[in-house]
Amino acid sequence: MRTRNPNILGGALGFAWLLVILVPIYYIVITSVRPREDYFSSNPLSLPSEFTLEPFWFVLQNDFLRYFTNSVIVTVVTVLAVVISSLLASYVIVRSRTRLARFSQKLFLMGIAIPLQATIIPIYYLIVQLGLYDTLWALILPSVAFAIPVTVLILTNFLRDVPKELYESMTVDGASDWRMFRSLVLPLAKPAVVTVGIYDALQVWNGFLFPLVLTQSSEVRVLPLSLWAYQGEFTVNIPAVLAAVMLSALPILVLYIAGRRQLISGLTAGFSK
Amino acid sequence: MTAPQAPAASAPQENQEPPRAARPTRRRGGLRTAPSNWLLAPALSFFGVFAVLPLLGVVVLSFFAWDGLGTPTFAGLDAWFTVFQDPVTLNAMKLTLLMTLLCYAVQFPLSLLLGAFMAGHQRYREVFSVLYFLPLLFSAAAVGIAFKALLDPNFGISRAFGLDILKQDWLGSSNLAFYTLIMVISWSFVPFHSLLYQAGIRQIPASMYEAATLDGAGRVRQFFSVTLPQLKYTIVTSSTLMLVGSLTYFDLIFILTGGGPGNATRVLPLDMYLTGFRSYQMGPASVLAVILILVGVLMSLGLNKVSGSDAMESQMEGA
């Protein structure tokens, strides 16, 4: 795309989109530091009469940290379970020619084409029958299942690029499955595991439907649901609601600043190489 | 016993064959080269119990009557008749189709052009790209909550600049709410798709553009005869995600309008949720779920046919 004269049309589009993106973000930021009284009287896009962190304290005093912790627990446990089980499965799918291995690959591929969210009703039934309704497990177990297809697909494509000779030489050395997995598959797959782990973590962190349907009490409330609940509880205290929105985005912002490249590759997972 | 060192250490290529044949594998009958099928067990059981079983379950439940609390009782085709005679459902199907098409019509050209813009290496474009990413920091719930406040008819953007055109009941008017949703959906999803296009365009070899320039092709001509054809896989992947994804827009719409005003934004996924978990009619809700699943699968298959290959796979295999 190296042309000499500047692309004015492109620049105009780019600038217009920048405005579209920034106005709502600016609104979130500016409102979250606005005094409560100010909200009703002023132009919503003007600078506040004074900057205050009061909305943030208000949110933190309203159990924000508990919801945050719940989200962290659900995300960490889910991602660990997804990545470990998918990596084991991918290893077999890449290395084995048995009927079961080929069947599994087809099954997981099929799982990608299906909008699994539509199975929420039987999942609700299942979770109630298992006595897990309104627990963090109710969120973790289906989240693991839903994340497996994409994770397996990305990991198998990655492991397929590993030269066969590496596996064979270890087999010759008499390595067990476990040792092969630990000292060959795991270290080799590390970059793909990081990418797909970030992808899965974002899906779980942002998930709304499972918490909405499968939990009820505030003890097991996770962040996205808490935002919705705050909106109902705080009613007119919009600065506090938007402070909660800001706080919920904070971990991802930190990730973006610390490892922009990895976050982007995690977000787009295998969809662009 | 060899130490568990890096496998590359057993490198001497010439004498790799003899030891393999000579060394007896004491552990089992023959030399095993493939891992045990048991390693599939964790993934298969998670997926079997919490994805395949519910998938079958939703079909079964569509033939039952169930209020969400008691025991489901068999009801034959009752739920199916209910759904297809319900004007609300037919309206939901129409709205879903319209929303899918309109969202695509807005998002596809916008993401493509922005991706091309972001692929440029000018300094200002790189700064812009960093800012374009910002919507992706927020969950759909967060975006929904924020826009609900921003679009509030009394305290939101409607009184920002004193402009009459902004003084609308963006989410409360049945004529406007549907289109407002499309704008919010685009705001939150275009950044993701433009990232895909940016990556795709950056992979196109610079030599192709140089050749095109030598042939006297201008910028527009280059876009249509170099960029677009080279982006085939990215376009199919992104389109599949956009179109099939539009069947699962739930959180944003649920928070912004809840399907209202009236039923003006009650698309299929929302109709399913409200029928099931607000009206406690799990039978009809399961019918809606089956419809959603069928439409999703047919759409994926159709797009694969159009593209002539399994787009997701070929894309990931590194086009």
Side-chain angles (χ1 to χ4, degrees), chain A residues 201-232:
Chain A
L202 286 172
Q203 299 295 318
V204 179
W205 183 264
N206 292 336
F208 184 76
L209 183 62
F210 285 160
L212 179 68
V213 172
L214 303 174
T215 66
Q216 190 173 34
S217 58
S218 63
E219 280 75 36
V220 293
R221 195 175 288 162
V222 289
L223 276 184
L225 199 58
S226 80
L227 296 179
W228 190 57
Y230 279 144
Q231 192 202 226

Side-chain angles (χ1 to χ4, degrees), chain B residues 14-289:
Chain B
E14 329 79 73
N15 53 4
Q16 201 168 17
E17 269 316 300
R20 175 192 284 198
R23 186 175 300 187
T25 36
R26 266 151 277 141
R27 295 147 42 79
R28 269 155 252 199
L31 185 67
R32 281 181 342 106
T33 52
S36 157
N37 273 339
W38 281 106
L39 300 185
L40 288 166
L44 279 181
S45 21
F46 273 123
F47 193 71
V49 176
F50 291 99
V52 178
L53 199 61
L55 203 57
L56 302 175
V58 78
V59 179
V60 173
L61 278 177
S62 74
F63 298 106
F64 279 73
W66 183 39
D67 62 0
L69 292 170
T71 317
T73 51
F74 186 73
L77 286 170
D78 283 5
W80 287 84
F81 284 125
T82 313
V83 164
F84 281 99
Q85 283 163 2
D86 187 353
V88 174
T89 306
L90 299 178
N91 185 48
M93 290 181 186
K94 211 182 74 194
L95 287 178
T96 306
L97 182 69
L98 194 61
M99 180 165 280
T100 305
L101 292 177
L102 285 177
C103 279
Y104 189 74
V106 174
Q107 291 187 71
F108 170 67
L110 206 52
S111 314
L112 181 62
L113 290 174
L114 282 167
F117 177 79
M118 290 157 71
H121 289 279
Q122 296 91 326
R123 189 91 196 100
Y124 84 102
R125 293 193 180 191
E126 297 195 337
V127 175
F128 277 26
S129 304
V130 171
L131 296 170
Y132 288 164
F133 185 88
L134 291 175
L136 295 172
L137 300 176
F138 298 94
S139 63
V143 172
I145 301 277
F147 270 94
K148 193 157 179 148
L150 181 61
L151 297 172
D152 187 280
N154 297 316
F155 302 107
I157 194 151
S158 54
R159 57 171 190 175
F161 304 107
L163 293 174
D164 279 342
I165 193 168
L166 292 176
K167 287 192 184 121
Q168 309 280 355
D169 192 356
W170 295 100
L171 295 166
S173 132
S174 40
N175 293 323
L176 206 54
F178 187 76
Y179 301 98
T180 307
L181 284 181
I182 291 171
M183 289 195 285
V184 179
I185 288 170
S186 305
W187 185 86
S188 76
F189 287 99
V190 163
F192 170 79
H193 291 280
S194 57
L195 278 176
L196 293 184
Y197 285 114
Q198 178 197 33
I201 292 173
R202 282 196 170 167
Q203 279 174 346
I204 301 173
S207 56
M208 299 192 73
Y209 289 105
E210 281 155 18
T213 312
L214 283 181
D215 288 345
R219 191 177 278 126
V220 177
R221 184 75 203 279
Q222 288 189 13
F223 181 78
F224 283 102
S225 19
V226 179
T227 311
L228 269 188
Q230 288 293 309
L231 279 180
K232 185 184 162 207
Y233 284 128
T234 314
I235 291 175
V236 175
T237 307
S238 156
S239 302
T240 308
L241 291 174
M242 270 182 205
L243 292 171
V244 180
S246 64
L247 295 178
T248 57
Y249 294 148
F250 171 79
D251 6 26
L252 262 182
I253 304 177
F254 178 76
I255 288 175
L256 281 170
T257 65
N263 288 324
T265 57
R266 186 166 166 146
V267 289
L268 270 182
L270 219 67
D271 194 26
M272 176 191 81
Y273 174 83
L274 296 174
T275 307
F277 296 97
R278 288 288 164 82
S279 313
Y280 303 105
Q281 297 182 311
M282 295 296 181
S286 300
V287 175
L288 293 168

Side-chain angles (χ1 to χ4, degrees), chain A residues 1-7 10-11 13-15 17-18 20-25 27-28 39-45 81 85-86 88-89 91-93 95-96 98 100-101 104 107-127 130 141-142 144-146 148-149 153-154 157 166 168-177 179 184 206 208-209 212-213 224 227-228 231 238 241-242 245 248-249 252-253 256 260 263-264 267-268 270-273, chain B residues 1-4 7-8 10 16 20 23 27 31-37 39-40 42-44 46-47 49-55 57-58 61 66 68 72 110 113-114 116-117 124-126 128-139 141-142 145-150 155-157 159-161 186-187 190-192 195-196 199 203 206 209-210 213 219 227 237 241 244 247-248 250-251 254-255 272-273 277-278 282 285-286 289 292-293 296-297 300 312-313 315-318:
Chain A
M1 304 231 108
R2 275 171 217 104
T3 20
R4 292 119 296 164
N5 51 337
N7 185 346
L13 170 78
F15 193 75
W17 181 249
L18 190 67
V20 171
I21 291 294
L22 286 188
V23 168
I25 306 261
Y27 171 76
I28 298 172
Y39 175 76
F40 295 104
S41 58
S42 62
N43 177 339
L45 296 180
S85 58
S86 303
L88 288 169
Y91 170 43
V92 180
I93 288 174
R95 289 288 301 144
S96 174
T98 60
L100 186 67
S104 310
L107 184 71
F108 294 140
L109 268 180
M110 186 197 79
I112 293 181
I114 293 172
L116 289 170
Q117 288 84 344
T119 60
I120 187 69
I121 293 164
I123 285 181
Y124 168 75
Y125 182 74
L126 194 62
I127 291 291
L130 292 172
L141 294 172
V144 173
F146 281 27
I148 282 177
L153 184 65
I154 291 167
N157 283 329
L166 283 184
E168 279 161 7
S169 63
M170 277 199 86
T171 319
V172 170
D173 287 347
S176 63
D177 277 347
R179 221 191 82 201
L184 183 65
N206 292 336
F208 184 76
L209 183 62
L212 179 68
V213 172
L227 296 179
W228 190 57
Q231 192 202 226
I238 300 293
V241 173
L242 292 182
V245 165
S248 77
I252 306 173
L253 181 66
Y256 185 49
R260 175 162 171 251
L263 178 61
I264 290 181
L267 245 175
T268 53
F271 301 125
S272 80
K273 253 204 202 171
Chain B
M1 195 58 191
T2 3
S10 59
Q16 201 168 17
R20 175 192 284 198
R23 186 175 300 187
R27 295 147 42 79
L31 185 67
R32 281 181 342 106
T33 52
S36 157
N37 273 339
L39 300 185
L40 288 166
L44 279 181
F46 273 123
F47 193 71
V49 176
F50 291 99
V52 178
L53 199 61
L55 203 57
V58 78
L61 278 177
W66 183 39
L110 206 52
L113 290 174
L114 282 167
F117 177 79
Y124 84 102
R125 293 193 180 191
E126 297 195 337
F128 277 26
S129 304
V130 171
L131 296 170
Y132 288 164
F133 185 88
L134 291 175
L136 295 172
L137 300 176
F138 298 94
S139 63
I145 301 277
F147 270 94
K148 193 157 179 148
L150 181 61
F155 302 107
I157 194 151
R159 57 171 190 175
F161 304 107
S186 305
W187 185 86
V190 163
F192 170 79
L195 278 176
L196 293 184
Q203 279 174 346
Y209 289 105
E210 281 155 18
T213 312
R219 191 177 278 126
T227 311
T237 307
L241 291 174
V244 180
L247 295 178
T248 57
F250 171 79
D251 6 26
F254 178 76
I255 288 175
M272 176 191 81
Y273 174 83
F277 296 97
R278 288 288 164 82
M282 295 296 181
S286 300
L292 271 175
I293 292 169
V297 172
S300 303
M312 298 274 258
E313 259 196 297
Q315 179 70 14
M316 295 205 203
E317 272 161 13

Side-chain angles (χ1 to χ4, degrees), chain A residues 30-190:
Chain A
I30 205 76
T31 309
S32 70
V33 293
R34 194 185 285 282
R36 207 195 294 198
E37 320 77 59
D38 222 28
Y39 175 76
F40 295 104
S41 58
S42 62
N43 177 339
L45 296 180
S46 66
L47 290 174
S49 57
E50 54 168 327
F51 290 91
T52 173
L53 290 178
E54 225 262 294
F56 287 89
W57 295 127
F58 189 76
V59 174
L60 289 174
Q61 281 159 11
N62 277 277
D63 292 329
F64 183 85
L65 289 178
R66 182 202 286 161
Y67 308 146
F68 186 87
T69 314
N70 285 339
S71 269
V72 171
I73 295 173
V74 171
T75 306
V76 169
V77 176
T78 304
V79 170
L80 279 178
V82 171
V83 167
I84 293 172
S85 58
S86 303
L87 193 56
L88 288 169
S90 309
Y91 170 43
V92 180
I93 288 174
V94 169
R95 289 288 301 144
S96 174
R97 297 260 128 245
T98 60
R99 195 171 295 173
L100 186 67
R102 275 176 293 165
F103 165 78
S104 310
Q105 185 180 24
K106 288 223 179 72
L107 184 71
F108 294 140
L109 268 180
M110 186 197 79
I112 293 181
I114 293 172
L116 289 170
Q117 288 84 344
T119 60
I120 187 69
I121 293 164
I123 285 181
Y124 168 75
Y125 182 74
L126 194 62
I127 291 291
V128 170
Q129 295 300 312
L130 292 172
L132 295 174
Y133 180 75
D134 208 22
T135 65
L136 292 182
W137 289 110
L139 306 179
I140 293 170
L141 294 172
S143 302
V144 173
F146 281 27
I148 282 177
V150 172
T151 312
V152 167
L153 184 65
I154 291 167
L155 291 177
T156 47
N157 283 329
F158 188 85
L159 287 179
R160 238 183 263 291
D161 295 340
V162 174
K164 268 214 299 272
E165 290 72 24
L166 283 184
Y167 296 110
E168 279 161 7
S169 63
M170 277 199 86
T171 319
V172 170
D173 287 347
S176 63
D177 277 347
W178 172 237
R179 221 191 82 201
M180 182 101 97
F181 183 77
R182 213 190 42 196
S183 51
L184 183 65
V185 179
L186 203 56
L188 279 175
K190 211 170 149 198

Side-chain angles (χ1 to χ4, degrees), chain B residues 284-304:
Chain B
S286 300
V287 175
L288 293 168
V290 173
I291 295 172
L292 271 175
I293 292 169
L294 284 178
V295 175
V297 172
L298 286 177
M299 225 145 64
S300 303
L301 290 178
L303 281 159
N304 280 343

